[in-house]
Structure formats: structure tokens, C-alpha cells
Amino acid sequence: MAKLAITGATVYPISSPPMEGAALLVGDGKILAVGRVEVPSDARVIDARGLHLLPGFVDPHTHVGLWGEGDGPPAYDGNEWTANTTAQVRALDAINPFHVSFADARSAGVTTVQTLPGSGNPIGGEMVVIKTRGRTADEMVLRQPSGLKGALGENPKRLHGQNHKRMPASRMGVAAVIRQYLARAREYDPEKGRDLGLELARRVLERAVPLRLHAHRADDIVTAVRIAREFDIDLSIEHCTEGWMVADFLAEAGYPVTLGPMLGGRSKVETANMTFRNPGILEKAGVHVSLMTDHPFVPIAHHRIQGALAVREGMSEAGALRAMTLNPAEMLGVTHRVGSLEPGKDADFVLWSDHPFRARARVVATYIEGHVVYGAEP
């Protein structure tokens, strides 16, 4: 693959300050150099003066390719609700690479996503980090498994207790199901019979894979931390809608949080205290913050708008960009490949007509591993 040089753009490496009139040199799908670059004579050159060049966005909590959109019941593949713990199910097995959500992601400058089961079960299944380009799910994989999905609060209460009259029907029950599952994993002996669900739990207990717990309400957030401490496991808190109410607690706990979706109504009791001030408050408290869409619950095409509104309500611009790129890559364990513009990383980048937080900004071209996957080269 011939070398490609993007020159004259305002470049946002994320891992270092923005640079005006800078260049990005790529070859063989990797970033070769960034900044004041000496362009090789054999490189193909794109004049990007007036454009903004950023790493592809990383959306750390989505159901892209997994959750139907306007397809009806045949596409409801997000929750295996037939049992309350289903760690053995894998998001990878339900991903449709030809689903329209991947095209939506590329058009919005999102080049990497974590796709995961829904929040119907206290223990929901295996998550996977993928690129948003590919013909088979397997070739898109960056990390598998990238986490074990779990959920606290109203969703598992409603799905199991209210709809199916089985445990859990209360917050006590939800936490107990998660604890019991992790306790069983401590005693798991594969020589006595293989259990795929407990195999993943053992990896969680070994801190090879994090538990990622859906938690909106402040008390559920605290319960998530309590369980993680009890079992000495790695944790990320997903949604964290009332995180701003316990910001100092979260900073002291030290676990990363993934905020969102924020661009929508207060659709249930747990989101009554949703605010765009949440990211800025947590950033100032010293919490490791990432932003997510939870696509399709907020369309992935609106990811940048959430970042812009977070800045309007108090988050730093640099912090918001980092929360959409390098922070989620760190939290997902894929910084060796994506999240910033640095030599050796994948050539996943986006040319924007303006700063992506400007209302009229549009994606000019999205690249994954050096290939244009949306738009056209200027």
C-alpha cells in the first residue's frame, strides 16, 4: 500500500496538543508520522488546508450490528432473557456486519465500537470491541472478550421479576444474583465439566476481563463499586447517570465510567436526574470519563453532539475529545491500536470540515486502516 500524506490540516493527536498546518503520514494501514512531517517523494499527497483531522471516535457502549432498528421482533437479539445469568452468550454471534448502523457509524466518524448484550439480565454476556468496517464480524474484532456485561436497577427487575415472576424482583435480588454468580465462579473446576459462563467469570476474577455494570442511579453505582471491591475485580460503570451526585466517591473508588446516553428524554425513573453537567463535574473530580451513545437508543450519528453539549455545560473541550477517543480506548484495552494519532497505531482517522463540536461540521472522509470508508478524499 502506497504511503499517503495528509498535509495542511489542523491535527488533533489527542495524546498531545492540536497542531495547525500539520501533516499525517500513513502506510500499510498504520500511522508513520504526525506533526511537522517530511513527506516522502513517493507519497500520495492530499491537501487538507482548512480541514480538521482527528482520530476516529471510539464509542465504548453500543449495540451496533446487534440490535434491530425498525426490523421488528426478528431482530431483537440484544437480550437472552430466558435466564437471569447468561455469561455464555457472545455479542459476536449476533453481529450483522451489513447492518445499516455500521454505515451510520462511519458517516459520523466512529471507527471503533464496543458492542454488547442488553441490560435485561443481572449477568448478560460477553462484549466485543470491533472496527466499523468489515464483511465478517470476526475480521472486525479488536478485542474479544472485552468485558462481561451486567446490569443493576430497573431493567433486570422488570424483565425477570415483573414479566416472568422469577428472581430478581428487587435491587437486593439483582445484587444477590451477581454475587452468587461470582461466588460460583470461585469454586469452578473445569475438570468436573465445562461451563462457558463460569469460564468467563473466572477471567473476571483473574482481572483479565472487567465486569461492566449498567447502573444509572447513585445507589446502584455505589452497589457496583461494593461488589467490585468484595470480589477484587476490575469494573467499569456503564451509564452512570447520577454519577455527578457521588463524584467524590467515584474519584476515590478509581473505576472508569462510561456516560450516556444523554441526548434524549428522561425515559424512565432512573434517568430523572440526567444532566449534561455530569461529564464536566466528573472530569473536574478526577474521574476517568468516556462518552457513549448506547446506539440505537441515541443514534450513533449524534455522538459528536453529545460531546459538544458536554462542553457547553462545563466539560473542557480537550476532555470531551479525549472522552470520545483515547479514554474509551484505554478503558477498552485497545490503546495499542486506536484512540490517538501516534506512530504505530492503526490509520483510523477522520477529516472534518470544521471542529466536530461545531453545529455545521460534517465528515469529509473517514478512514479505517488507511482506506476511505465514508465520503471522498478532498
Side-chain angles (χ1 to χ4, degrees):
M1 183 178 178
K3 292 184 177 68
L4 170 66
I6 314 287
T7 64
T10 300
V11 178
Y12 300 76
I14 305 300
S15 55
S16 57
M19 298 175 283
E20 293 188 4
L24 181 75
L25 180 66
V26 305
D28 294 325
K30 296 291 185 180
I31 296 171
L32 302 178
V34 60
R36 309 304 172 191
V37 175
E38 184 175 338
V39 178
S41 58
D42 61 343
R44 185 166 60 87
V45 178
I46 293 175
D47 183 354
R49 283 176 291 183
L51 301 180
H52 295 245
L53 194 161
L54 290 90
F57 288 147
V58 179
D59 191 337
H61 183 122
T62 78
H63 307 283
V64 168
L66 181 69
W67 207 282
E69 297 176 53
D71 303 320
Y76 292 167
D77 284 326
N79 286 298
E80 180 55 54
W81 53 262
T82 53
N84 60 20
T85 62
T86 55
Q88 69 272 27
V89 305
R90 301 176 180 179
L92 184 69
D93 293 328
I95 291 171
N96 175 9
F98 299 98
H99 195 271
V100 67
S101 54
F102 287 108
D104 290 344
R106 296 190 295 267
S107 72
V110 180
T111 55
T112 299
V113 296
Q114 181 172 234
T115 290
L116 50 137
S119 53
N121 300 343
I123 295 294
E126 183 179 293
M127 309 156 91
V128 61
V129 179
I130 56 175
K131 296 288 186 79
T132 56
R133 166 186 181 259
R135 291 184 304 160
T136 69
D138 301 85
E139 71 185 276
M140 301 160 76
V141 170
L142 267 182
R143 184 184 180 197
Q144 181 205 7
S146 54
L148 171 60
K149 174 68 182 294
L152 295 162
E154 297 300 321
N155 284 10
K157 282 175 54 183
R158 182 184 69 253
L159 181 60
H160 294 280
Q162 179 178 322
N163 293 355
H164 296 287
K165 309 303 180 187
R166 64 188 177 210
M167 190 175 183
S170 67
R171 277 180 163 77
M172 294 183 295
V174 174
V177 169
I178 296 171
R179 279 195 183 92
Q180 186 62 45
Y181 167 75
L182 293 172
R184 284 172 51 220
R186 280 179 169 168
E187 306 302 321
Y188 171 58
D189 181 355
E191 294 185 1
K192 295 181 179 178
R194 192 177 183 192
D195 185 311
L196 295 178
L198 292 179
E199 280 185 9
L200 183 55
R202 285 299 294 267
R203 298 190 68 182
V204 170
L205 292 173
E206 293 164 358
R207 304 183 80 166
V209 175
L211 178 63
R212 305 194 189 279
L213 280 177
H214 162 117
H216 284 283
R217 234 168 61 175
D219 56 327
D220 290 327
I221 292 166
V222 174
T223 296
V225 171
R226 184 182 308 119
I227 291 171
R229 285 172 169 169
E230 285 177 23
F231 288 90
D232 190 26
I233 58 177
D234 289 336
L235 170 75
S236 69
I237 300 169
E238 308 292 310
H239 303 298
C240 205
T241 302
E242 292 186 354
W244 63 275
M245 299 167 68
V246 287
D248 54 345
F249 170 83
L250 284 170
E252 186 276 330
Y255 298 109
V257 305
T258 304
L259 301 184
M262 296 180 290
L263 194 66
R266 295 174 175 88
S267 58
K268 51 187 177 181
V269 64
E270 293 174 311
T271 58
N273 292 309
M274 181 174 65
T275 172
F276 274 103
R277 294 185 296 113
N278 194 13
I281 291 171
L282 292 179
E283 177 193 29
K284 290 178 177 66
V287 178
H288 189 283
V289 175
S290 300
L291 299 181
M292 56 118 135
T293 61
D294 199 15
H295 181 93
F297 300 101
V298 162
I300 202 164
H302 301 332
H303 193 29
R304 70 182 183 93
I305 298 172
Q306 294 191 125
L309 291 172
V311 172
R312 188 193 72 182
E313 297 302 320
M315 194 177 204
S316 70
E317 183 177 285
L321 286 177
R322 190 177 178 101
M324 299 170 69
T325 53
L326 192 52
N327 276 9
E330 289 173 348
M331 190 263 296
L332 298 175
V334 292
T335 51
H336 61 298
R337 297 280 301 275
V338 299
S340 60
L341 300 177
E342 298 178 78
K345 292 194 175 186
D346 292 0
D348 296 358
F349 59 93
V350 184
L351 283 169
W352 292 84
S353 64
D354 205 334
H355 191 289
F357 293 162
R358 298 277 178 99
R360 294 186 179 182
R362 63 179 177 83
V363 171
V364 175
T366 300
Y367 295 74
I368 293 179
E369 296 174 16
H371 297 280
V372 178
V373 296
Y374 173 79
E377 293 181 338

